[in-house]
């Protein structure tokens, strides 16, 4: 692959939703279509690998998954029995793990490898619509405790060269993540925070980064993200394409009937 790949921040939905079509009906159709469209945007050419920064993995020190055949992590509760038998058998990529570790170390980040880390639902549920055959290698990168936005932007900056090496970088979280207000009571906060995100991501790159680093000052910020682990993957995706334009590639105003949610691309698509 000779093209620089864009990066993505995707709102990954809830639990194992791609495997619950009977239960959810059309609830996730718009999100699913946006994920499938990522293949078109990168030219329908399989990347060498996918590096996922999931809101469901956080550590005191940066960790990279390093297993050749990562297992599954069913990090959800109360779902149908069959969702605890899901397999997403994508291989790992020890080569990408070593390359990412070298880039992060060179940028001054301490990083360790985890050969046991499996695919959490922030990874396999989001990737299943994109690559249902699980035929693209996948490596996961953890978030860092403390959730410092600048640190995560710097992590993205360190990983930017991977984009020229055929690696698709995806930050997987949710643009609105308050599970205690996931119904009509979340409408105002989700819409106000989403409006702010849409506005900020249209700013010139330097202003955009500054605004996102101070995301806590946004309208209803802490209502939208009482704990920001589902927002921080956005900082990594941004950092890896910091000087490039952003585009909204998924948006709904009435997700689960009430909520505004979005996904974003940084950098130009390979295919128009």
């Amino acid at each position: 692959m000779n093209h620089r790949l864009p990066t993505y921040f995707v709102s990954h939905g809830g639990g194992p939703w791609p495997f619950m079509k009977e239960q959810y009906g059309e609830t996730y159709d718009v999100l699913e279509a946006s994920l499938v469209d990522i293949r078109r945007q990168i030219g329908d050419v399989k990347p060498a690998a996918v590096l996922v920064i999931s809101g469901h993995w956080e550590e005191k020190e940066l960790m990279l998954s390093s297993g050749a055949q990562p297992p599954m992590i069913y990090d959800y509760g109360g779902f149908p029995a069959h969702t605890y038998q899901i397999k997403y058998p994508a291989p790992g990529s020890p080569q990408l793990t070593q390359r990412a570790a070298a880039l992060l170390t060179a940028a001054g980040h301490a990083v360790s490898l985890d050969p046991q880390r499996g695919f959490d639902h922030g990874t396999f549920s989001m990737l299943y619509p994109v690559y249902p055959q699980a035929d693209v290698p996948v490596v996961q990168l953890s978030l860092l405790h403390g959730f410092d936005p600048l640190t995560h932007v710097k992590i993205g900056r360190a990983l930017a060269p991977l984009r020229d090496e055929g690696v698709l970088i995806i930050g997987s979280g949710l643009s609105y993540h308050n599970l205690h207000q996931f119904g009509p009571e979340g409408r105002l906060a989700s819409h106000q925070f989403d409006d702010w995100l849409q506005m900020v991501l249209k700013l010139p790159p330097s202003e955009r980064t500054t605004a996102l680093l101070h995301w806590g000052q946004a309208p209803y910020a802490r209502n939208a993200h009482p704990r920001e682990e589902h927002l921080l993957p956005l900082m990594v995706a941004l950092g890896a394409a910091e000087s490039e334009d952003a585009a909204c590639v998924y948006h709904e105003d009435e997700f689960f009937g009430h909520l505004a949610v979005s996904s974003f691309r940084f950098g130009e698509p390979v295919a128009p």
Side-chain angles (χ1 to χ4, degrees):
M1 181 175 291
N2 298 319
H3 299 285
R4 172 173 293 178
L5 293 178
T7 70
Y8 291 86
F9 168 72
V10 301
S11 288
H12 62 224
W17 62 267
F19 305 91
M20 297 177 61
K21 293 294 184 69
E22 290 185 7
Q23 291 84 355
Y24 283 128
E26 299 178 353
T27 300
Y28 284 99
D29 283 2
V30 179
L31 174 59
E32 182 174 29
S34 74
L35 293 168
V36 171
D37 196 54
I38 289 176
R39 288 203 310 268
R40 181 196 61 79
Q41 293 175 32
I42 66 172
D44 269 330
V45 177
K46 290 178 185 174
V50 181
L51 179 65
V52 178
I53 303 90
S54 170
H56 290 274
W57 189 19
E58 54 192 75
E59 299 286 351
K60 294 180 180 178
E61 180 179 87
L62 276 181
M63 302 285 289
L64 282 159
S65 64
S66 60
Q69 294 293 331
M72 301 293 290
I73 299 176
Y74 305 112
D75 54 341
Y76 40 76
F79 287 90
H82 77 272
T83 65
Y84 299 90
Q85 304 298 321
I86 293 167
K87 301 298 180 186
Y88 188 73
S93 174
Q95 180 180 2
L96 172 56
T97 297
Q98 293 297 329
R99 174 64 172 144
L103 289 170
L104 291 165
T105 300
H109 302 283
V111 60
S112 297
L113 308 186
D114 186 346
Q116 304 302 320
R117 178 69 189 186
F119 296 143
D120 58 63
H121 81 263
T123 295
F124 72 78
S125 288
M126 171 272 299
L127 281 179
Y128 180 76
V130 187
Y131 297 112
Q133 301 303 314
D135 51 358
V136 176
V138 179
V139 171
Q140 287 191 153
L141 172 66
S142 73
L143 298 172
L144 270 177
H145 277 317
F147 298 148
D148 178 59
L150 180 56
T151 298
H152 287 84
V153 170
K154 289 180 176 178
I155 289 167
R157 291 170 183 165
L159 296 171
L162 296 176
R163 299 173 55 210
D164 293 315
E165 300 169 16
V167 175
L168 180 61
I169 299 173
I170 300 179
S172 178
L174 276 171
S175 61
Y176 173 84
H177 192 254
N178 185 341
L179 298 183
H180 297 291
Q181 296 181 359
F182 217 72
E185 66 277 12
R187 174 181 288 276
L188 179 61
S190 69
H191 282 256
Q192 289 287 315
F193 189 74
D194 194 272
D195 286 348
W196 179 84
L197 273 180
Q198 300 285 350
M199 180 272 294
V200 163
L201 290 175
K202 294 176 183 176
L203 293 173
S206 61
E207 296 177 36
R208 179 179 67 188
T209 297
T210 299
L212 285 172
L213 291 179
H214 296 90
W215 72 271
Q217 299 175 12
Y220 293 89
R222 282 298 176 184
N223 296 84
H225 292 280
R227 193 173 185 274
E228 58 264 44
E229 81 284 349
H230 275 66
L231 182 66
L232 266 293
L234 170 66
M235 307 299 175
V236 183
L238 165 78
E242 195 171 8
S243 65
E244 298 174 55
D245 289 340
C248 182
V249 293
Y250 160 70
H251 176 77
E252 292 191 66
D253 279 324
E254 296 186 350
F255 185 62
F256 275 84
H258 305 280
L259 306 175
V261 290
S262 297
S263 299
F264 301 95
R265 184 188 69 235
F266 299 93
E268 293 298 320
V270 174

